[in-house]
Amino acid sequence: MTEEPMETVREEAPSNAEVSNDLSLEANDQMKFNKSELRAVAGKPIKLTLKNVGKSTKESMAHDCIIFKPGTDINAFSQKAMTDKANDYIPPSEKGSIIAHTKLLGPGEEDTIEFTINEKGTYDFICSFPAHYAAGMKGK
């Protein structure tokens, strides 16, 4: 008796992110967000609260959250942002690629923003403080 090969079916891993238009995100001194995926319903207002739970000074370890329009070159944005301290690392020349962003936060600070994304899709978010995006401070 010969055995027939088993067919292997790979499925995409299910998302662990809860769908909610009232979102929270934390940033820490290890240059990490506590979530790499946020899910919301398109066409309805979204409220996002970012909290910096770190202890390091704002000068050495500040955090923000920037949500981008589809098609944005995040690497290019990050390169320009690193040198734009005067504008809290959000270059004015790149504002057209941003849907929404929080303030740059020091330790213990938080900021809540409200915005609407009308089209379903996948949108990138990052922290623009120097070297944070390169260290993996990003999500969808």
Side-chain angles (χ1 to χ4, degrees), residues 106-123:
E109 294 180 333
E110 68 178 56
D111 187 26
T112 299
I113 57 174
E114 294 188 27
F115 57 97
T116 301
I117 295 176
N118 290 317
E119 293 185 33
K120 289 182 182 181
T122 301
Y123 298 82

Side-chain angles (χ1 to χ4, degrees), residues 37-59:
E37 181 179 34
L38 300 171
R39 295 173 53 104
V41 177
K44 296 185 178 183
I46 298 168
K47 184 167 90 171
L48 171 65
T49 300
L50 174 67
K51 183 170 185 176
N52 182 346
V53 297
K55 306 286 185 222
S56 296
T57 65
K58 186 173 183 178
E59 294 73 31

Side-chain angles (χ1 to χ4, degrees), residues 49-120:
T49 300
L50 174 67
K51 183 170 185 176
N52 182 346
V53 297
K55 306 286 185 222
S56 296
T57 65
K58 186 173 183 178
E59 294 73 31
S60 66
M61 189 65 66
H63 301 294
D64 63 8
C65 179
I66 302 173
I67 299 107
F68 293 96
K69 293 178 180 176
T72 300
D73 183 339
I74 307 298
N75 289 325
F77 178 94
S78 179
Q79 290 297 313
K80 290 178 185 175
M82 284 194 308
T83 60
D84 202 347
K85 183 178 181 180
N87 292 299
D88 286 340
Y89 307 103
I90 300 177
S93 64
E94 304 304 304
K95 286 195 176 190
S97 62
I98 296 172
I99 292 171
H101 67 85
T102 65
K103 296 175 190 168
L104 193 63
L105 305 175
E109 294 180 333
E110 68 178 56
D111 187 26
T112 299
I113 57 174
E114 294 188 27
F115 57 97
T116 301
I117 295 176
N118 290 317
E119 293 185 33
K120 289 182 182 181

